[in-house]
Amino acid sequence: MSEAKKMAKDSAYVVSARVISILSSLMMGIILARLLGKDMYGLVTWAIFLEGIVFIFADLGIQESAARRIAEYRAKDMDVSGSIVTSMALKMIVGLAAVILCLLFSSYIAVSLNNHEEAIISVYACAALLSLDIISTSIYSSLYGFREMTITSYAEVIQNVSKTLLAVVLVVLGFGFKGALIGLIAGSAFLLVFYIYSFKKNVLPEIKHLRLDLTEMNHILTYGFYLGLSWAVVKVYMSFDQFYIGAKLTMGDFVCYTISMSLALLIYYGMFSLRRVLLTSFSGSVSTQNYGMTKDVFRLSIKYIAMIALPAGAGMAALSPDVISAIYGHEYIAAALVLPFLAIMGAIKTCELPAACIIDGGGKAKIGVRIAIVTAIFNVALNLALIPMYGIQGAAVASLISLGSGTIVFLFAASRSYNVRVPVKEILLISLASIIMYATVISVRSMAYSTLGLDIESSISCLTSLALCIPAGVIIYAIAILVFGVISIDDSAKIRKAVGTGLLSKPVIAVLQVSEKTRGMMPFNNIIKS
């Protein structure tokens, strides 16, 4: 299988799996928010949030550093045994230390970072989730490096669906927020079982010895340090606002801001699954000096990620009140005040992914660390200035300004470091199409509420509004993209070659055919060529 076809296949699997997982997690959040109420649901989200923070420091970048090293060796047909054995040992040792520290300081964490009397239960749940995730990801790093995207995609779906089912069932049976936490832990246990089976089948036969390799240890830890430091800084500054709100404002403010942030980052986390494909691809193409592949993958990935992310962010910003009221109920309507800012932030942040992947996968993670630190300082300063004056709205504005600026710097740094081109003209045209779609959605929503007598406090009314506005927005956006000629002839040829002729390729081919037929009739096509 060619590299282009493998990337297309892997991308289809990881994105599909991530979409299913996100929808499953979203469904769990909707049901638990309605069943548990703000305070109890806040404790569940806080446990997940806390585990995400601690995991960054427990990982130290070992997972991606090892995956990058394994992918690089496999691209050169070299033995990967030392990398696999050493990375798994490192991950287990560091992770175990993090779990022990989490348990030892559980009371301090609960009292200092959350003012709820039962917060310590969330900390214990965090430690349990962390221990399972450490073992799972120590195995996953080798599957990641072997580019076994099909297997890991199935595993992701199984984990998230099982978490949702178990958490909801236990809450319905009367176990409250503790039942929800048990369901989350059980879902992580299912994932571990699946990874062990996959590792035994696909990776274990490739391991020729079980010796630790000190050279590999030094490389994985050194490069992992920069990756881990970058991720730690990013996680801290992306979570600082939530920490600050949870500690200084009410639990209601924390929940409303958290669900808005979760919704705003849906497209980011959906596209983030492509990091598995892009990181290993850039690692292989840069190490083998395949610069043509590197440039093509970088340009196309940014362009088509932007084509999905920017309209999604604009649409969510336009429909924020309806989205919140329809999903969580009018009790959480305060979240609609911050969702527009965060939705745009999430869309811009998503466009950063290819730049971050080529920097990290190509061996220049130090650049990512510098950008992350500067962005973090900017973000924290803005939050400290704006949250006391404007509450959660100030936090949302701070995130939009700081993370948006960080994305621009990332794109510039990737372009300079690897001599790759950011498709600026195409991105501007996609942005214009998204703005046109945004204006259309606002107009349709206004007419729907005035003519049909819809009520924002009614979930049914909000669902009706969404059912009218979303199709209208999609149609207008598609027309604008075709009119502007964003999909070029060269892109069409490369995409056709990558997707092949299978059943899953037919929708893609249909879109390309429509684009090709309309390209010659549209007046804006020369904008791209000029």
Side-chain angles (χ1 to χ4, degrees):
M1 183 183 295
S2 68
E3 177 66 15
K5 287 188 176 181
K6 178 168 179 55
M7 288 190 66
K9 177 187 173 183
D10 289 346
S11 299
Y13 271 108
V14 297
V15 172
S16 299
R18 183 54 60 91
V19 168
I20 295 171
S21 300
I22 286 174
L23 291 175
S24 175
S25 298
L26 181 62
M27 185 61 65
M28 178 180 68
I30 294 168
I31 297 172
L32 293 183
R34 291 176 179 268
L35 291 176
L36 295 174
K38 283 185 179 180
D39 285 351
M40 293 297 103
Y41 178 60
L43 290 175
V44 176
T45 58
W46 194 66
I48 299 171
F49 167 73
L50 188 62
E51 196 261 345
I53 293 290
V54 179
F55 178 82
I56 294 294
F57 295 95
D59 180 67
L60 292 180
I62 295 172
Q63 175 181 300
E64 287 205 335
S65 179
R68 174 184 173 274
R69 190 68 161 178
I70 292 168
E72 181 181 335
Y73 277 179
R74 283 176 60 81
K76 297 177 179 178
D77 294 323
M78 297 172 63
D79 180 31
V80 295
S81 302
S83 299
I84 294 172
V85 173
T86 304
S87 63
M88 291 184 70
L90 287 172
K91 193 76 190 294
M92 295 286 192
I93 294 170
V94 176
L96 179 62
V99 172
I100 292 172
L101 288 173
C102 187
L103 291 172
L104 287 176
F105 293 95
S106 57
S107 297
Y108 175 80
I109 295 171
V111 173
S112 301
L113 301 179
N114 197 306
N115 55 17
H116 197 283
E117 58 185 8
E118 295 192 88
I120 194 167
I121 297 175
S122 297
V123 180
Y124 291 147
C126 165
L129 288 168
L130 183 64
S131 60
L132 291 169
D133 287 348
I134 288 296
I135 301 172
S136 294
T137 52
S138 67
I139 297 172
Y140 171 72
S141 62
S142 56
L143 294 171
Y144 189 172
F146 272 58
R147 302 180 71 175
E148 293 290 346
M149 304 305 170
T150 305
I151 294 169
T152 55
S153 298
Y154 287 144
E156 182 179 352
V157 171
I158 291 171
Q159 177 196 29
N160 284 280
V161 171
S162 61
K163 278 184 176 182
T164 299
L165 290 175
L166 291 170
V168 170
V169 168
L170 290 173
V171 171
V172 170
L173 290 176
F175 291 94
F177 87 97
K178 296 178 183 178
L181 293 174
I182 292 171
L184 296 178
I185 295 167
S188 291
F190 280 128
L191 177 69
L192 176 57
V193 172
F194 198 95
Y195 275 172
I196 290 173
Y197 168 78
S198 302
F199 180 85
K200 181 179 178 182
K201 180 180 178 181
N202 296 280
V203 178
L204 195 58
E206 299 290 326
I207 298 179
K208 299 176 182 178
H209 64 79
L210 298 177
R211 298 187 301 274
L212 291 176
D213 188 322
L214 294 181
T215 302
E216 286 301 291
M217 182 181 295
N218 179 63
H219 178 88
I220 291 171
L221 282 176
T222 302
Y223 198 74
F225 170 78
Y226 293 110
L227 288 174
L229 179 60
S230 177
W231 277 110
V233 173
V234 169
K235 191 69 176 180
V236 168
Y237 76 66
M238 286 188 70
S239 305
F240 177 80
D241 47 7
Q242 296 174 65
F243 268 127
Y244 194 86
I245 291 168
K248 301 297 182 180
L249 303 181
T250 67
M251 182 59 74
D253 288 329
F254 173 78
V255 172
C256 286
Y257 189 81
T258 300
I259 63 176
S260 291
M261 182 65 82
S262 299
L263 289 171
L265 293 176
L266 279 178
I267 189 66
Y268 173 74
Y269 289 130
M271 292 292 104
F272 190 81
S273 56
L274 289 175
R275 183 176 172 88
R276 307 179 203 171
V277 180
L278 293 174
L279 185 90
T280 50
S281 175
F282 285 134
S283 178
S285 63
V286 172
S287 65
T288 56
Q289 299 183 348
N290 188 350
Y291 299 122
M293 173 66 75
T294 301
K295 291 179 179 180
D296 283 344
V297 170
F298 181 79
R299 181 182 63 83
L300 289 174
S301 59
I302 287 183
K303 178 177 175 178
Y304 288 98
I305 285 174
M307 197 180 292
I308 297 171
L310 296 182
M316 186 175 290
L319 296 170
S320 294
D322 303 284
V323 170
I324 295 296
S325 190
I327 294 177
Y328 294 100
H330 194 260
E331 178 186 4
Y332 297 89
I333 196 62
L337 297 174
V338 298
L339 185 54
F341 300 104
L342 295 177
I344 300 301
M345 176 275 295
I348 296 172
K349 180 72 176 172
T350 304
C351 297
E352 175 189 298
L353 283 173
C357 288
I358 194 172
I359 287 173
D360 292 343
K364 297 185 178 181
K366 290 182 181 180
I367 296 174
V369 173
R370 297 189 191 105
I371 297 172
I373 290 173
V374 173
T375 305
I377 295 170
F378 189 30
N379 177 269
V380 171
L382 284 174
N383 274 296
L384 291 174
L386 296 178
I387 290 178
M389 293 188 291
Y390 303 107
I392 58 176
Q393 287 177 288
V397 172
S399 294
L400 173 58
I401 295 173
S402 58
L403 272 65
S405 302
T407 295
I408 294 172
V409 175
F410 251 115
L411 292 172
F412 177 77
S415 178
R416 289 290 300 273
S417 299
Y418 292 96
N419 193 29
V420 290
R421 184 177 74 86
V422 177
V424 177
K425 292 180 181 178
E426 290 95 327
I427 290 174
L428 290 175
L429 289 174
I430 293 168
S431 301
L432 179 58
S434 300
I435 292 170
I436 293 171
M437 184 206 71
Y438 176 89
T440 301
V441 169
I442 291 292
S443 300
V444 172
R445 180 178 182 273
S446 178
M447 287 189 291
Y449 271 87
S450 60
T451 57
L452 300 178
L454 301 181
D455 180 8
I456 190 62
E457 296 187 13
S458 168
S459 294
I460 300 299
S461 292
C462 293
L463 287 171
T464 302
S465 173
L466 293 173
L468 294 171
C469 294
I470 292 175
V474 170
I475 292 170
I476 293 298
Y477 177 71
I479 293 173
I481 288 295
L482 292 173
V483 168
F484 296 155
V486 175
I487 303 176
S488 67
I489 296 174
D490 184 51
D491 288 354
S492 294
K494 289 177 180 176
I495 294 171
R496 280 177 179 274
K497 184 178 179 181
V499 300
T501 57
L503 180 63
L504 294 177
S505 67
K506 294 189 181 300
V508 178
I509 298 299
V511 172
L512 294 177
Q513 287 174 342
V514 173
S515 174
E516 289 163 3
K517 289 179 181 179
T518 58
R519 186 181 294 116
M521 300 182 290
M522 299 306 176
F524 291 92
N525 293 322
N526 290 330
I527 295 178
I528 297 288
K529 299 176 183 177
S530 62

